Amino acid sequence: MAGAAGAGDCFDLTRGAPQRYDFYVVGSGFDAYDGERARAVVFFGDRSGYGLGETTIRNGTFEIALPKTNEPYNMFGVYIDRGGDDACTLNVDPFFEMASGGVYADVNWTITPETRFLEGLPPCNLNGLFDLTQPLRCPG
Protein backbone atom coordinates (compact mmCIF):
# COMPACT_ATOMS: atom_id res chain seq x y z
CA MET A 1 0.00 0.00 0.00
CA ALA A 2 2.99 2.34 0.38
CA GLY A 3 4.38 4.05 -2.68
CA ALA A 4 4.44 2.62 -6.17
CA ALA A 5 4.20 -1.14 -6.43
CA GLY A 6 7.47 -2.94 -5.89
CA ALA A 7 9.49 -5.13 -3.59
CA GLY A 8 10.84 -3.54 -0.44
CA ASP A 9 7.91 -1.21 0.21
CA CYS A 10 6.92 -0.74 3.85
CA PHE A 11 3.71 0.36 5.48
CA ASP A 12 3.32 0.42 9.28
CA LEU A 13 0.48 2.17 11.06
CA THR A 14 0.44 -0.14 14.07
CA ARG A 15 2.09 2.41 16.38
CA GLY A 16 -0.75 4.90 16.55
CA ALA A 17 -4.53 5.22 16.61
CA PRO A 18 -6.37 5.66 13.29
CA GLN A 19 -7.18 9.26 12.41
CA ARG A 20 -10.01 10.56 10.24
CA TYR A 21 -8.13 11.75 7.14
CA ASP A 22 -5.43 10.53 4.75
CA PHE A 23 -1.93 11.77 3.96
CA TYR A 24 -0.43 11.39 0.50
CA VAL A 25 2.98 12.61 -0.68
CA VAL A 26 4.31 12.65 -4.25
CA GLY A 27 7.95 13.41 -4.93
CA SER A 28 9.39 14.30 -8.33
CA GLY A 29 12.77 15.48 -9.57
CA PHE A 30 14.65 13.04 -7.32
CA ASP A 31 16.61 11.47 -10.21
CA ALA A 32 19.89 11.73 -8.26
CA TYR A 33 18.40 9.35 -5.70
CA ASP A 34 17.06 6.62 -8.02
CA GLY A 35 17.07 3.25 -6.29
CA GLU A 36 17.23 4.78 -2.80
CA ARG A 37 14.41 4.68 -0.24
CA ALA A 38 12.04 7.56 0.42
CA ARG A 39 10.45 7.35 3.86
CA ALA A 40 7.38 9.23 5.14
CA VAL A 41 6.69 9.51 8.86
CA VAL A 42 3.65 10.96 10.61
CA PHE A 43 3.78 11.96 14.26
CA PHE A 44 0.33 12.38 15.73
CA GLY A 45 -0.27 15.78 17.30
CA ASP A 46 -1.86 14.18 20.34
CA ARG A 47 1.45 12.30 20.81
CA SER A 48 -0.27 8.91 20.62
CA GLY A 49 2.30 7.42 18.24
CA TYR A 50 3.54 7.50 14.68
CA GLY A 51 3.06 5.93 11.27
CA LEU A 52 5.67 4.99 8.66
CA GLY A 53 5.71 4.31 4.93
CA GLU A 54 8.58 3.83 2.52
CA THR A 55 9.15 3.07 -1.13
CA THR A 56 11.98 3.01 -3.62
CA ILE A 57 12.56 6.05 -5.80
CA ARG A 58 12.04 5.08 -9.42
CA ASN A 59 12.70 7.35 -12.40
CA GLY A 60 13.12 10.26 -9.98
CA THR A 61 9.65 9.88 -8.48
CA PHE A 62 7.90 8.28 -5.53
CA GLU A 63 4.46 8.14 -3.97
CA ILE A 64 3.59 7.21 -0.41
CA ALA A 65 0.06 7.01 0.97
CA LEU A 66 -0.58 6.86 4.71
CA PRO A 67 -4.34 6.37 5.05
CA LYS A 68 -6.15 7.53 8.16
CA THR A 69 -3.12 9.41 9.57
CA ASN A 70 -4.24 13.04 9.49
CA GLU A 71 -5.98 15.17 12.06
CA PRO A 72 -5.34 18.86 12.69
CA TYR A 73 -1.76 19.61 13.75
CA ASN A 74 -0.25 16.23 12.91
CA MET A 75 3.33 16.50 11.69
CA PHE A 76 4.76 14.86 8.57
CA GLY A 77 8.34 14.29 7.51
CA VAL A 78 9.86 12.79 4.39
CA TYR A 79 13.50 11.87 4.02
CA ILE A 80 15.69 9.98 1.60
CA ASP A 81 17.43 7.25 3.61
CA ARG A 82 20.79 7.49 1.85
CA GLY A 83 22.57 5.30 4.40
CA GLY A 84 19.87 2.62 4.45
CA ASP A 85 19.90 2.64 8.27
CA ASP A 86 16.17 3.32 8.83
CA ALA A 87 17.04 6.68 10.41
CA CYS A 88 17.35 10.26 9.18
CA THR A 89 21.05 11.14 9.24
CA LEU A 90 21.86 14.82 9.81
CA ASN A 91 23.65 16.52 6.92
CA VAL A 92 23.36 13.35 4.81
CA ASP A 93 19.69 12.53 4.21
CA PRO A 94 17.56 15.14 2.42
CA PHE A 95 14.70 15.99 4.82
CA PHE A 96 11.34 17.71 4.28
CA GLU A 97 8.74 18.60 6.90
CA MET A 98 5.21 19.95 7.16
CA ALA A 99 2.38 20.20 9.69
CA SER A 100 -1.25 19.73 8.72
CA GLY A 101 -2.29 22.87 10.61
CA GLY A 102 -5.99 23.25 11.29
CA VAL A 103 -6.94 21.07 8.32
CA TYR A 104 -9.96 18.78 8.62
CA ALA A 105 -9.36 17.00 5.30
CA ASP A 106 -7.02 14.74 3.40
CA VAL A 107 -3.53 16.18 2.86
CA ASN A 108 -1.89 15.88 -0.56
CA TRP A 109 1.72 17.11 -0.53
CA THR A 110 3.87 17.46 -3.64
CA ILE A 111 7.61 17.88 -3.09
CA THR A 112 10.79 18.29 -5.13
CA PRO A 113 14.41 18.46 -3.94
CA GLU A 114 13.96 22.25 -3.67
CA THR A 115 10.91 22.05 -1.35
CA ARG A 116 11.37 23.76 2.02
CA PHE A 117 8.79 23.83 4.79
CA LEU A 118 8.96 24.85 8.44
CA GLU A 119 12.35 26.54 8.12
CA GLY A 120 14.18 27.17 11.37
CA LEU A 121 13.27 23.86 12.97
CA PRO A 122 15.93 21.20 13.56
CA PRO A 123 16.40 18.81 10.63
CA CYS A 124 15.48 15.15 11.08
CA ASN A 125 13.07 16.11 13.85
CA LEU A 126 9.32 16.65 13.48
CA ASN A 127 8.54 20.07 14.92
CA GLY A 128 11.12 19.49 17.65
CA LEU A 129 8.91 16.72 19.10
CA PHE A 130 9.82 13.48 17.31
CA ASP A 131 13.46 12.55 16.66
CA LEU A 132 13.93 10.79 13.32
CA THR A 133 17.66 10.18 13.89
CA GLN A 134 16.60 7.09 15.85
CA PRO A 135 15.98 4.07 13.59
CA LEU A 136 12.34 3.32 12.78
CA ARG A 137 12.19 -0.27 11.57
CA CYS A 138 9.66 -1.64 9.15
CA PRO A 139 7.86 -4.76 10.28
CA GLY A 140 8.87 -8.04 8.76
Side-chain angles (χ1 to χ4, degrees):
M1 195 161 195
D9 289 349
C10 164
F11 181 75
D12 183 13
L13 297 179
T14 63
R15 302 175 198 285
Q19 311 283 293
R20 288 183 284 180
Y21 305 103
D22 299 339
F23 173 77
Y24 182 69
V25 60
V26 175
S28 62
F30 289 89
D31 301 87
Y33 306 102
D34 262 5
E36 297 187 50
R37 293 183 302 157
R39 303 185 101 213
V41 179
V42 55
F43 178 64
F44 302 119
D46 63 5
R47 300 186 179 154
S48 64
Y50 69 91
L52 169 68
E54 78 174 36
T55 193
T56 302
I57 300 169
R58 298 172 182 91
N59 299 315
T61 65
F62 64 88
E63 300 175 17
I64 301 173
L66 297 176
K68 304 301 179 209
T69 58
N70 187 45
E71 289 283 337
Y73 304 104
N74 283 355
M75 291 151 274
F76 299 92
V78 172
Y79 65 95
I80 311 304
D81 189 11
R82 307 226 53 212
D85 58 0
D86 297 325
C88 184
T89 304
L90 294 170
N91 302 316
V92 174
D93 295 338
F95 174 72
F96 311 90
E97 177 180 20
M98 71 163 292
S100 62
V103 174
Y104 288 90
D106 294 343
V107 171
N108 296 298
W109 190 25
T110 302
I111 65 173
T112 70
E114 292 78 36
T115 299
R116 296 293 175 259
F117 281 89
L118 303 177
E119 291 288 336
L121 293 174
C124 295
N125 195 307
L126 294 179
N127 206 27
L129 298 172
F130 192 70
D131 182 8
L132 296 176
T133 65
Q134 302 302 311
L136 301 176
R137 307 273 185 237
C138 284

